[in-house]
Amino acid sequence: MEQLIEKVVIEGVEFQIIQKPTTLYAGYKAEADNEDEESSVDTYQLFQAGHKNIKNSLIPDSMLCLSINYKECRHGQNARRSLMHCQETSERNQPEGITVLESPACYMIKVKSTEATWELVKKITGEDNPQWHMAPLFGLCEKLFCNEERGFALTPDFSDTYEIEYYNADGNNYAGISVVKL
């Protein structure tokens, strides 16, 4: 179970610093055809059709979207981008067609998607709310926390790094990035 380490409020926006244990994600993953594109497979539709088949979901009323290898250029790697719509699970053995990924223990900076958060995104990064995904929130977390003052850096081994969008049935949505302490 993840543990809240600290809450940091910046201009009325609450950021959570969380310690996550090793985590299993089960769902539908697709790689892009080449390193500069996104996959043509609609993992969202696959998830919507099959999420009830995920065994031992820890968050049955939620959907996560993992963005994998989206910052590979920063690390000089040529890994393909992939998306995975999934849930956290306690079960490695899933039905055929469901991918299981294991993320090692890490720290995560997590922020709720609110009007105040999007105003801070616009102020800090210049990006507008795209209304269809929360990727600009990853950049906000990185810009504000991945520096010497805050004491974090993006996870250096990119194979272990995910940017995660959390979509909850109650309408509260979050974005998070995995980080390491400096």
Side-chain angles (χ1 to χ4, degrees), residues 58-140:
L58 302 176
I59 50 168
D61 292 334
S62 299
M63 176 187 71
L64 307 181
C65 179
L66 305 182
S67 299
I68 305 165
N69 293 330
Y70 272 69
K71 292 187 179 277
E72 71 280 355
C73 294
R74 180 189 66 228
H75 297 287
Q77 296 182 13
N78 292 321
R80 287 188 176 159
R81 293 178 177 183
S82 50
L83 284 178
M84 183 170 174
H85 285 84
C86 58
Q87 294 178 329
E88 292 182 7
T89 182
S90 60
E91 178 63 51
R92 284 185 191 281
N93 298 316
Q94 294 290 332
E96 188 173 330
I98 295 176
T99 300
V100 176
L101 293 179
E102 180 178 304
S103 176
C106 67
Y107 288 95
M108 177 167 278
I109 308 298
K110 196 171 173 181
V111 66
K112 186 176 181 180
S113 176
T114 65
E115 274 304 313
T117 307
W118 286 105
E119 289 172 20
L120 190 58
V121 167
K122 180 73 172 165
K123 179 180 178 180
I124 301 292
T125 70
E127 294 180 82
D128 285 316
N129 182 344
Q131 299 297 322
W132 58 276
H133 68 79
M134 298 191 296
L137 299 182
F138 304 143
L140 177 66

Side-chain angles (χ1 to χ4, degrees), residues 5 13 16-17 19 34 36-37 60 63 89 98 101 106 109 118 122 151-152 155 175 181:
I5 302 297
V13 176
Q16 299 175 355
I17 301 171
Q19 187 169 16
N34 70 53
D36 296 325
E37 296 179 6
M63 176 187 71
T89 182
I98 295 176
L101 293 179
C106 67
I109 308 298
W118 286 105
K122 180 73 172 165
F152 292 100
T155 308
K181 285 190 172 187

